[in-house]
Amino acid sequence: MNRTLFLLLALTASAASAQAATTVRLGFFPNLTHAPALVGLERGTFQKALGNVKLDPREFVSGTTLTEAFAAGQIDIAYVGPGPAISAAGRGMPVQFLAGAAEAGAVLVARKDSTVKTYKDLAGKNVAVPSLGNTQDISLRHILNESGLKSKTDGGSVTITPIPPTDVIAAFAGKRVDAALVPEPWGAALEAQGHRVIGTEKTVWRDGRYPTAIVIVNAKFAQANPALVAAFLKAHTDAVSYLTKSPAAAQTVVNAKLQKLTGAKLDLRVLQRAFARTRFTTALDPEAMKEYSALNVEAGYARSAPDLTPFFRK
């Protein structure tokens, strides 16, 4: 999408959302890093918090597609990775960062019959990410840079292929990729099939203290609907509290929602391993976001890092 069309859609969306809402359109992914969304939807707490205002949940497979929907005025509130959120801010979108949702919860997995055992072994290999420009793609390009490697598009030897996380297991089975940097629970699901984790949630970046999902809102929508946004945030906080204080019950809830969304029910041991690699929180670290913005520039998705201060909710 070119910048002119992007901004036109953003302005149209702003005008449309500057009215009192009768529906809240919520974007999210079927990943563990979006577990607060899965819990809030499955338990009905989001709809209960919004009262008579209808909740319209919409599933996406990547931050790229979600951001385009956000720009087109199809989404009011969303769970999304920091990479797409920062890109939206840099493009002039009326976006506001509401809260944190999840930290870490992404691993780099190599196919068990490949020769990849370390980051440097990724030279000449094909590595999957959920989408180009998303949080895992930006993390992968940082890993490659730290390992003295580059993607083919940057003149190196590593092919980076966008594949939805729910399709990575099939991509491994068909030997279409050698490795994948994926959000949980899809990393734990690959590991359960014997594939090798070569980058844990802590070695991917910042010792695991990095956001993998945050909550954003259209700034004009937030201005016109402060009570709705506050109610949603309270429900989001309740969902995060449920995930941290009642993990066993939360795993059952998350598994039920994932099964409805993807058709696949995960082994609870897989889900437990994925939970152990993911930290749920409402906190949003400005320094981590600032560093992620720098990685976005390093990855070539932005010419400069925008000042993110105005985008945080006051």
Side-chain angles (χ1 to χ4, degrees):
M1 183 182 296
N2 65 51
R3 181 178 174 83
T4 301
L5 178 58
F6 192 91
L7 291 175
L8 179 61
L9 289 171
L11 290 171
T12 302
S14 298
S17 58
Q19 304 170 10
T22 56
T23 300
V24 174
R25 299 163 298 180
L26 174 67
F28 70 99
F29 307 165
N31 297 335
L32 184 60
T33 48
H34 290 228
L38 305 180
V39 165
L41 291 170
E42 183 67 11
R43 300 183 78 209
T45 48
F46 288 158
Q47 183 58 76
K48 184 178 179 181
L50 297 176
N52 293 329
V53 174
K54 180 184 177 183
L55 178 68
D56 179 8
R58 302 184 183 188
E59 178 189 350
F60 292 85
V61 297
S62 75
T64 306
T65 55
L66 187 148
T67 303
E68 289 180 356
F70 199 88
Q74 298 169 355
I75 298 295
D76 303 308
I77 300 176
Y79 288 80
V80 69
I86 291 168
S87 294
R91 289 175 169 179
M93 280 287 295
V95 62
Q96 188 179 82
F97 305 155
L98 282 180
E103 292 185 343
V107 293
L108 181 53
V109 185
R111 213 180 65 229
K112 57 187 175 186
D113 58 347
S114 77
T115 57
V116 178
K117 294 182 179 178
T118 68
Y119 290 161
K120 289 185 179 296
D121 294 334
L122 294 173
K125 303 300 184 184
N126 192 345
V127 186
V129 295
S131 69
L132 299 181
N134 92 317
T135 302
Q136 281 73 50
D137 178 31
I138 294 170
S139 297
L140 174 62
R141 289 172 194 269
H142 178 63
I143 288 171
L144 295 180
N145 186 52
E146 292 287 298
S147 305
L149 301 174
K150 292 181 180 179
S151 70
K152 279 191 174 179
T153 54
D154 293 327
S157 65
V158 182
T159 300
I160 299 178
T161 302
I163 297 177
T166 50
D167 294 339
V168 167
I169 291 175
F172 268 48
K175 299 186 178 183
R176 290 189 281 123
V177 293
D178 303 290
L181 181 48
V182 286
E184 296 291 7
W186 312 114
L190 289 169
E191 189 178 15
Q193 294 185 343
H195 302 298
R196 291 188 297 274
V197 172
I198 63 169
T200 70
E201 78 284 4
K202 292 183 178 179
T203 60
V204 165
W205 183 51
R206 220 172 179 259
D207 197 30
R209 308 295 297 190
Y210 55 91
T212 40
I214 69 173
V215 185
I216 63 172
V217 64
N218 182 298
K220 296 294 183 182
F221 178 90
Q223 186 177 21
N225 302 279
L228 280 181
V229 173
F232 180 86
L233 270 178
K234 184 179 184 306
H236 167 66
T237 301
D238 289 346
V240 170
S241 178
Y242 183 71
L243 283 158
T244 55
K245 294 181 179 178
S246 307
Q251 286 162 17
T252 301
V253 171
V254 168
N255 210 7
K257 189 62 180 177
L258 285 175
Q259 185 176 15
K260 291 176 183 175
L261 294 170
T262 68
K265 185 175 183 179
L266 295 170
D267 186 305
L268 275 179
R269 289 170 296 184
V270 170
L271 205 51
Q272 288 165 359
R273 180 175 292 173
F275 259 70
R277 292 171 174 162
T278 311
R279 193 171 83 90
F280 303 106
T281 177
T282 59
L284 189 51
D285 183 352
E287 282 303 311
M289 292 291 283
K290 183 178 178 181
E291 290 183 34
Y292 224 107
S293 184
L295 295 189
N296 203 27
V297 175
E298 177 187 270
Y301 287 115
R303 293 182 178 178
S304 61
D307 177 10
L308 298 177
T309 305
F311 297 97
F312 284 88
R313 184 172 186 259
K314 302 293 189 298

